[in-house]
Amino acid sequence: MSILIRDVDILPLDGSPLVRGGEIAIEGNRITVVGGTGSVTDDFKPEIVIDGQGLLASPGLINCHTHAAMTLFRGYADDLPLMKWLNNKIWPIEDKLTEEDIYWATMLACLEMIKSGTTAFADMYFHMDQVARAVSETGMRASLCRGLIGVAPNADEALEWSFGFAREFHESAEGRITVMLGPHAPYTCPPDYLRLVKDAAVELGVGVHIHLAETRSEVTQTAEGQGCTPVQLVERTGLFEVPVLAAHCVHLTDEDIAVLARYAVRVAHNPQSNMKLGSGVAPVVKLLEAGVMVGLGTDGAASNNDLDMVEEMRSASFLQKVTYEDPTVLPSDQALAMATLYGATALGLQDEVGTLEVGKKADIVLWDLQKPHLCPLHDVSAHLVYSARGSDARTVIVDGKVLMRDYEVLSLDEEAVMAEAERRARRLIAEVG
Amino acid sequence: MSILIRDVDILPLDGSPLVRGGEIAIEGNRITVVGGTGSVTDDFKPEIVIDGQGLLASPGLINCHTHAAMTLFRGYADDLPLMKWLNNKIWPIEDKLTEEDIYWATMLACLEMIKSGTTAFADMYFHMDQVARAVSETGMRASLCRGLIGVAPNADEALEWSFGFAREFHESAEGRITVMLGPHAPYTCPPDYLRLVKDAAVELGVGVHIHLAETRSEVTQTAEGQGCTPVQLVERTGLFEVPVLAAHCVHLTDEDIAVLARYAVRVAHNPQSNMKLGSGVAPVVKLLEAGVMVGLGTDGAASNNDLDMVEEMRSASFLQKVTYEDPTVLPSDQALAMATLYGATALGLQDEVGTLEVGKKADIVLWDLQKPHLCPLHDVSAHLVYSARGSDARTVIVDGKVLMRDYEVLSLDEEAVMAEAERRARRLIAEVG
């Protein structure tokens, strides 16, 4: 497949400036030209030509932490204390999920993400072969891991399963799927189990995705039980010696931040989930200053309640500004970097995606700028972060394939996915009574 | 004009529960029937019938504090320290605004608000006759005031002008326009001037719209200069004896909150502006507990950067939850009340709008629920606050007139307004150099 996008404004986000009325050429799954008018030579005969007038091309947004199949629980239980929410609502209904539920719920998540300009995501859940099936079919890019509970009876079996999953699915679906190991958190995975996970990660050559320092009570309990912080606890296991994607990192000491920087741990910041669950405000400005790579994530739709990365950019910026009482911190270009290149780095894909550069894989969003809430057009970076909506994503390309064109999703049947998700949500509600 | 909306889910927000598959009848500018199927009698012969299948009817959202014409500065200057932003960017370009600029900028604001489900707004700016012209033409409802700077050379003249404006425009445009007096803030309006404004408000029988306790520096300077808080300063002038809409109220003592409650001062909370400008977090939970009526506002588009009230509901709820580290505070139904009935009360319109009740004026939004980010449909209140986008507003009715139907704005020419706003923004940029 070859594609030419012409007469399009381009925000490459690789350090080079905005291109007005430029051109992008795609051959196979890679970008072959990015530049001003006339950059593409006449001998390029594209199969698809997209008129980019009034549109802005940016790298696809990267959702660094989610539980995609939790879309089925969107709006099911809100405004509850954390443990009541988990114990009485989320865990009982999760217990009823079938493999097919996970497939359809992930299809719904992919649909929602494609429609809001997200091209890649990092997922931690279960029945991950069904998640891989949805990712494969919808054309998205994803880094997948099964959540591992070290204190559960099936802990060893789950790690064994993850071995098999990694061997079967890592770099599958034309390379769109990569695999990580997913120890849920240091408070559900004892140190010895984290050491097993680390050894497995080394053997498989994959990274690790973990929840870390999400709530104040996690920090308190770790201090009481282990006499250290969650970050120190994980450090002692040696897990940070493999590439780690740590979700949340809300409650950190300055020493914790130094540890994360020293081991090049990548952080997935989830501002809306942290706000909605009342978890707290992650020290993103300090993390970035310390050189930690911080990407953005939505977390699951039950604690957000959507998978809209445009909102995460905005919330990330706003939340730091209000916390520091300083409007200059986390400016729009930094929020955009977090949602693109930093996110790619968090997934270990920084050489493949995250910017619009020749040689990179073609994960591209064309944003429609011809809308009242984006008018007048002073600054496209500020507009994407402070004014845009996910629904301004007009055309989405992943791995050189057009997944959505002029708001129409091509890689799945939107109405069928919604109807099936709705039907399954009704059944789950009936089952939990 | 008479309208029947049938087969529609209805969230009346008057304390009564959600109606599934109900009916709403509108005759002239008022709601005459709200109820389940069969509520409307056969002798009602509507001129317009709207099929509400898959839609949710709610009261129109009410934006309690904005400077509508600042849409022209959306994305013009971001991520700057407050005084640098005002002194070097906003004030110089505001100085170049012509009457026609204000008209077109307000047309753009009305367009954006209609498209995102806002039916009424409270505006403080200048050339307010032009704002009234835009409101009159677009069919929106608004409470308008000229911003009065008591320390400016033209302070008395501006108050005099406001007298004439109130006499000409209060309850104009079929009653859609009401007028307030707009002393900018206690730090720009000395006590004697606020007393003059109070006397004028009594004479005119109108309310007052003022900025109050927005920043920490305002509080510090008032303490140093006057030995009291901004709220105490205003209280001493007697201004609170007339109906006051106080925007921001971020930095309050418990005693300030008691004062606001005692005088039934209405507060316009602007969470996204407070976040973006780094102003701080208003004590909304405490204000509501004290019985203060708190509405929501966007503030101007230069500090937001949009006029999307769905986002303000979400941000209001999330910001309180994260500040109190408690997911139970400011639940979705309270956020909805703030954006509707509490907002109506803030504008003194609680008997006219803010709920879907027989006898109230027909300010109604039909939200499209058939979207992936609103699927499955567990809880429509949670969906509106935590998952929806402004762009899910499909049909908007104000004062019994359909302003937008199936996403098409009928009361103005969308492309012409955007083109004119863009052209004027370019000219302003050229003028400030």
Side-chain angles (χ1 to χ4, degrees), chain B residues 163-207:
Chain B
F163 250 90
F165 179 69
R167 288 192 167 124
E168 183 175 352
F169 286 98
H170 189 52
E171 300 181 343
S172 69
E174 308 92 45
R176 287 184 287 109
I177 293 177
T178 48
V179 170
M180 292 195 197
L181 296 178
H184 171 263
Y187 62 91
T188 53
C189 296
D192 281 347
Y193 192 75
L194 291 180
R195 288 187 194 99
L196 289 177
V197 170
K198 184 221 157 181
D199 293 343
V202 170
E203 186 178 339
L204 289 162
V206 300

Side-chain angles (χ1 to χ4, degrees), chain B residues 148 159 162-163 180-183 189-210 233-244 263:
Chain B
L148 301 168
L159 184 54
S162 291
F163 250 90
M180 292 195 197
L181 296 178
C189 296
D192 281 347
Y193 192 75
L194 291 180
R195 288 187 194 99
L196 289 177
V197 170
K198 184 221 157 181
D199 293 343
V202 170
E203 186 178 339
L204 289 162
V206 300
V208 167
H209 187 170
I210 190 170
L233 181 63
V234 175
E235 184 192 12
R236 289 175 195 171
T237 66
L239 190 74
F240 288 152
E241 291 158 27
V242 297
V244 169
Y263 289 96

Side-chain angles (χ1 to χ4, degrees), chain A residues 103-122:
Chain A
Y103 166 75
W104 285 103
T106 307
M107 290 295 280
L108 177 63
C110 290
L111 171 60
E112 185 186 351
M113 287 192 273
I114 291 168
K115 290 194 80 161
S116 50
T118 293
T119 54
F121 64 104

Side-chain angles (χ1 to χ4, degrees), chain A residues 72 74 79-80 216 304-305 308 311 314 318 321 325 327 372 375 377-378 386 389 391 422 426, chain B residues 72 74 79-80 216 304-305 308 311 314 318 321 325 327 372 375 377-378 386-387 389 391 422:
Chain A
L72 284 191
R74 185 203 314 278
D79 308 321
L80 295 173
R216 204 173 284 280
N304 189 299
N305 287 347
D308 183 336
E311 283 192 10
R314 178 137 71 241
F318 283 2
K321 289 176 191 300
E325 291 193 12
C375 175
L377 210 52
H378 289 298
Y386 300 134
R389 300 186 180 112
S391 50
E422 190 71 51
R426 295 283 141 262
Chain B
L72 284 192
R74 185 203 314 278
D79 308 321
L80 295 173
R216 203 174 285 281
N304 190 298
N305 285 349
D308 183 335
E311 283 191 9
R314 178 138 70 241
F318 283 2
K321 289 176 191 302
E325 291 192 14
C375 175
L377 210 52
H378 289 298
Y386 301 135
S387 306
R389 299 186 180 113
S391 51
E422 190 72 50

Side-chain angles (χ1 to χ4, degrees), chain B residues 42-368:
Chain B
D42 289 344
D43 58 349
F44 180 57
K45 306 294 181 200
E47 292 158 84
I48 298 174
V49 177
I50 297 174
D51 177 7
Q53 203 163 17
L55 306 184
L56 173 73
S58 84
L61 305 182
I62 297 175
N63 186 342
C64 289
H65 179 66
T66 190
H67 313 287
M70 293 186 82
T71 47
L72 284 192
F73 312 140
R74 185 203 314 278
Y76 165 60
D78 300 285
D79 308 321
L80 295 173
L82 185 65
M83 291 320 296
K84 193 171 171 187
W85 178 68
L86 289 171
N87 281 319
N88 299 2
K89 305 295 285 189
I90 295 299
W91 289 338
I93 200 167
E94 265 188 343
D95 201 44
K96 303 291 182 190
L97 285 172
T98 67
E99 292 196 21
E100 282 293 301
D101 290 339
I102 302 268
Y103 166 74
W104 285 103
T106 308
M107 290 294 282
L108 177 63
C110 290
L111 170 61
E112 185 186 352
M113 287 193 274
I114 292 168
K115 291 194 81 162
S116 51
T118 293
T119 53
F121 65 103
D123 199 57
M124 182 194 290
Y125 216 52
F126 48 101
H127 295 312
M128 295 307 291
D129 46 340
Q130 296 302 317
V131 177
R133 180 181 155 210
V135 171
S136 179
E137 290 177 16
T138 57
M140 287 198 74
R141 191 179 303 283
S143 174
L144 308 181
C145 67
R146 171 172 172 173
L148 301 168
I149 309 291
V151 295
N154 71 344
D156 293 337
E157 179 198 322
L159 184 54
E160 194 58 37
W161 187 96
S162 291
F163 250 90
F165 179 69
R167 288 192 167 124
E168 183 175 352
F169 286 98
H170 189 52
E171 300 181 343
S172 69
E174 308 92 45
R176 287 184 287 109
I177 293 177
T178 48
V179 170
M180 292 195 197
L181 296 178
H184 171 263
Y187 62 91
T188 53
C189 296
D192 281 347
Y193 192 75
L194 291 180
R195 288 187 194 99
L196 289 177
V197 170
K198 184 221 157 181
D199 293 343
V202 170
E203 186 178 339
L204 289 162
V206 300
V208 167
H209 187 170
I210 190 170
H211 296 88
L212 188 61
E214 180 174 1
T215 64
R216 203 174 285 281
S217 73
E218 176 185 344
V219 173
T220 308
Q221 285 168 26
T222 307
E224 286 169 0
Q226 321 278 340
C228 64
T229 69
V231 169
Q232 290 171 327
L233 181 63
V234 175
E235 184 192 12
R236 289 175 195 171
T237 66
L239 190 74
F240 288 152
E241 291 158 27
V242 297
V244 169
L245 170 57
H248 299 299
C249 295
V250 173
H251 298 283
L252 302 175
T253 64
D254 287 348
E255 176 58 28
D256 287 339
I257 293 172
V259 170
L260 296 177
R262 190 156 65 241
Y263 289 96
V265 173
R266 300 88 182 253
V267 169
H269 173 48
N270 302 270
Q272 291 207 333
S273 171
N274 296 160
M275 294 175 86
K276 182 161 187 287
L277 297 179
S279 303
V281 180
V284 174
V285 168
K286 282 188 179 182
L287 284 164
L288 291 168
E289 278 174 1
V292 176
M293 197 57 69
V294 185
L296 293 175
T298 58
D299 209 351
S303 61
N304 190 298
N305 285 349
D306 55 51
L307 305 178
D308 183 335
M309 284 291 294
V310 176
E311 283 191 9
E312 296 304 324
M313 288 197 287
R314 178 138 70 241
S315 294
S317 175
F318 283 2
L319 188 55
Q320 294 297 305
K321 289 176 191 302
V322 76
T323 299
Y324 287 84
E325 291 192 14
D326 181 351
T328 71
V329 301
L330 225 169
S332 59
D333 56 351
Q334 203 167 34
L336 275 166
M338 292 170 73
T340 55
L341 184 58
Y342 297 0
T345 309
L347 272 56
L349 300 175
Q350 66 276 11
D351 296 331
E352 299 284 13
V353 296
T355 60
L356 300 186
E357 282 178 277
V358 171
K360 280 207 169 175
K361 289 185 175 164
D363 289 13
I364 303 173
V365 178
L366 302 181
W367 303 94
D368 193 342

Side-chain angles (χ1 to χ4, degrees), chain A residues 372-386:
Chain A
H373 63 282
L374 302 175
C375 175
L377 210 52
H378 289 298
D379 179 340
V380 293
S381 295
H383 272 16
L384 271 187
V385 176
Y386 300 134

